[in-house]
Amino acid sequence: MTTPTIYQDPLYQLLRSEKISAFNSKKSSLDSSKLTSGDYRGLDLRKMECDGLDFSDAYFRGADLRGVDFRNTNLEGASFCEAKISGCYFPKQLSVAEITMSVERGTRVRYSD
C-alpha cells in the first residue's frame, strides 16, 4: 500500500489549490502521471473533468467529489473515506459494496474482474 504523496507537479498543484477550471483546461497539455497516489484530502474537486486519468492509490478522505464522472478513470486502490460522492459516476469495475466500504471505513477500492 502506498502513502499519499504531495507532488510539486503543476497539474497536481492546480488540484491541490482547488483551481478546477484551470486543471480542466490544462490536463491534456500537462503530464498527468503525477496524479497517482496523490493526497486530495478535504479538497473541493466538484466539476473536475477526469476522463482517462489515473487516480490509482489516491487519497480522497473528506473530499467533495459531488457530481464527478469517474467512469473512465483508474481508481483502483483509491480511498474515499468520508468523501462526498453524491451524483458521482464510478467505473463499472467498482461494486457498490467496495465504494460503500471505502466511504464508511476508509478501505481502498478493489476492482472486480
Side-chain angles (χ1 to χ4, degrees):
M1 180 161 110
T2 60
T3 57
T5 306
I6 296 177
Y7 299 105
Q8 297 308 311
D9 179 77
L11 192 61
Y12 176 80
Q13 286 299 318
L14 287 172
L15 286 180
R16 293 280 302 167
S17 302
E18 297 179 336
K19 295 179 180 174
I20 306 306
S21 294
F23 171 84
N24 290 341
S25 66
K26 295 181 180 185
K27 70 178 176 128
S28 61
S29 63
L30 293 174
D31 178 16
S32 64
S33 66
K34 296 291 186 193
L35 301 176
T36 63
S37 303
D39 184 350
Y40 305 100
R41 287 182 278 193
L43 298 178
D44 183 348
L45 301 176
R46 290 175 292 170
K47 298 184 180 178
M48 174 177 64
E49 296 171 6
C50 53
D51 190 53
L53 297 179
D54 187 353
F55 282 107
S56 58
D57 296 322
Y59 196 56
F60 292 104
R61 181 183 190 102
D64 191 344
L65 304 169
R66 291 177 289 177
V68 175
D69 186 348
F70 288 114
R71 285 181 285 194
N72 296 310
T73 306
N74 183 2
L75 295 174
E76 190 162 23
S79 176
F80 296 94
C81 185
E82 300 175 0
K84 295 175 182 149
I85 60 166
S86 177
C88 283
Y89 285 104
F90 287 95
K92 290 179 185 178
Q93 303 92 324
L94 284 180
S95 70
V96 172
E98 282 291 318
I99 297 165
T100 301
M101 286 290 292
S102 186
V103 171
E104 292 177 357
R105 305 198 189 257
T107 60
R108 294 195 174 260
V109 293
R110 299 166 294 177
Y111 280 15
S112 59
D113 295 330

